[in-house]
Amino acid sequence: MNNKIANFQLRFWDPSTGSQISSSIKDHDGSIRSLSALPSIDGFFTTSNDGTIRVRTIDGVSVSQLVHPIQDDGSPPFVLNCKALLPNSESNLVSCSEDGNVVVWSNMSLLQAIPHPSCVWCVLPINSQGDFITGDSEGVVRYFSKDAALTSLDTSIQLTNQLINRVIEEKKKRESGPSSEDLAKATKWEQSSQHRGKSEGQVMLFNKNNVLIAAQWSVASGTWIEVGQVSGKANQGQIN
């Protein structure tokens, strides 16, 4: 409640009373980012900051766990969304994470990872053939298909090459570290008390002695708590 994160627990509620109706389930090791229905088994998915997706029965019992590829620094990515690609299948899925990876799963195994140049917030299947779209933090929506009639088009080939080039470009920017522009835009650390966070765990970037750092808002203390130094571009960096 009140947009606070509390122990990464899955809770079940009675909407008519607002009361919890069963024991909480705590099997994720990070914040739960999304829940999506899985009609084929009368269940649902949960995705988490621990880098995993759990397939669950309707009462929340985890029957399968999928693990997203780790990031370059060895840490798990935040998995933000997962959907069933086909309406009557629980084994063909598509998911996305904040490191820009879109992952296609077949029979609960990783089939394909599709890098994007920025955080991918959502994925959405759009037909019964397994086509889907993605939405990223750059405000770009991309359409993916296995249909040879579409993928062989010159326009499709051009768009694929553009995506590959953008991913390469962003990777080079991340490896070069924060720019002087990134530092200039960031709020000075000594002014952090003037900027109250909006929710528990909110992340904000600051300029601390000409070093770009990330900090999280703590509701309990009413302060920003330093997390670490950002070693990439401000919009796609890693925290050390």
Side-chain angles (χ1 to χ4, degrees):
M1 304 297 286
N2 299 322
N3 207 25
K4 291 179 65 177
I5 298 169
N7 303 323
F8 324 137
Q9 295 185 39
L10 185 64
R11 296 176 171 86
F12 296 84
W13 304 86
D14 183 339
S16 64
T17 64
S19 300
Q20 188 169 343
I21 58 176
S22 61
S23 300
S24 300
I25 297 174
K26 185 178 179 182
D27 51 11
H28 276 299
D29 294 321
S31 304
I32 297 173
R33 300 305 297 249
S34 70
L35 296 87
S36 299
L38 186 56
S40 62
I41 63 167
D42 194 21
F44 62 99
F45 306 110
T46 54
T47 70
S48 170
N49 286 3
D50 63 10
T52 69
I53 302 158
R54 286 186 178 270
V55 181
R56 303 179 184 275
T57 60
I58 193 63
D59 55 1
V61 175
S62 178
V63 295
S64 185
Q65 177 180 258
L66 310 178
V67 180
H68 252 244
I70 61 171
Q71 301 182 89
D72 292 341
D73 64 356
S75 64
F78 296 174
V79 184
L80 302 177
N81 199 214
C82 182
K83 300 289 186 183
L85 276 175
L86 303 173
N88 296 315
S89 173
E90 72 277 7
S91 60
N92 295 285
L93 320 172
V94 61
S95 58
C96 60
S97 53
E98 50 87 26
D99 62 347
N101 258 332
V102 171
V103 177
V104 179
W105 308 85
S106 178
N107 297 318
M108 297 299 174
S109 296
L110 192 154
L111 178 66
Q112 183 182 15
I114 307 171
H116 282 53
S118 63
C119 170
V120 181
W121 286 100
C122 57
V123 289
L124 182 67
I126 56 174
N127 58 29
S128 59
Q129 283 72 52
D131 294 358
F132 61 91
I133 57 177
T134 64
D136 66 22
S137 60
E138 294 182 327
V140 178
V141 175
R142 294 181 172 90
Y143 182 158
F144 294 87
S145 176
K146 297 186 295 182
D147 186 348
L150 295 175
T151 59
S152 61
L153 294 173
D154 290 342
T155 303
S156 297
I157 295 171
Q158 181 182 11
L159 288 171
T160 299
N161 289 333
Q162 287 177 359
L163 174 59
I164 293 170
N165 289 335
R166 281 287 294 116
V167 170
I168 293 172
E169 177 185 337
E170 285 302 312
K171 184 175 182 179
K172 288 180 178 178
K173 286 182 180 180
R174 291 197 300 272
E175 291 173 347
S176 68
S179 66
S180 56
E181 183 181 2
D182 293 332
L183 285 168
K185 288 180 179 178
T187 300
K188 297 286 187 181
W189 179 244
E190 54 267 28
Q191 299 172 352
S192 61
S193 61
Q194 302 173 23
H195 300 268
R196 292 188 61 81
K198 297 180 179 179
S199 61
E200 178 73 22
Q202 177 189 347
V203 176
M204 185 171 175
L205 301 183
F206 294 92
N207 181 342
K208 184 178 182 181
N209 300 324
N210 288 322
V211 174
L212 196 66
I213 66 165
Q216 284 189 317
W217 178 252
S218 168
V219 172
S221 65
T223 60
W224 293 98
I225 298 174
E226 184 175 344
V227 177
Q229 181 178 339
V230 178
S231 60
K233 302 297 287 183
N235 65 342
Q236 190 73 15
Q238 297 175 351
I239 300 172
N240 294 329

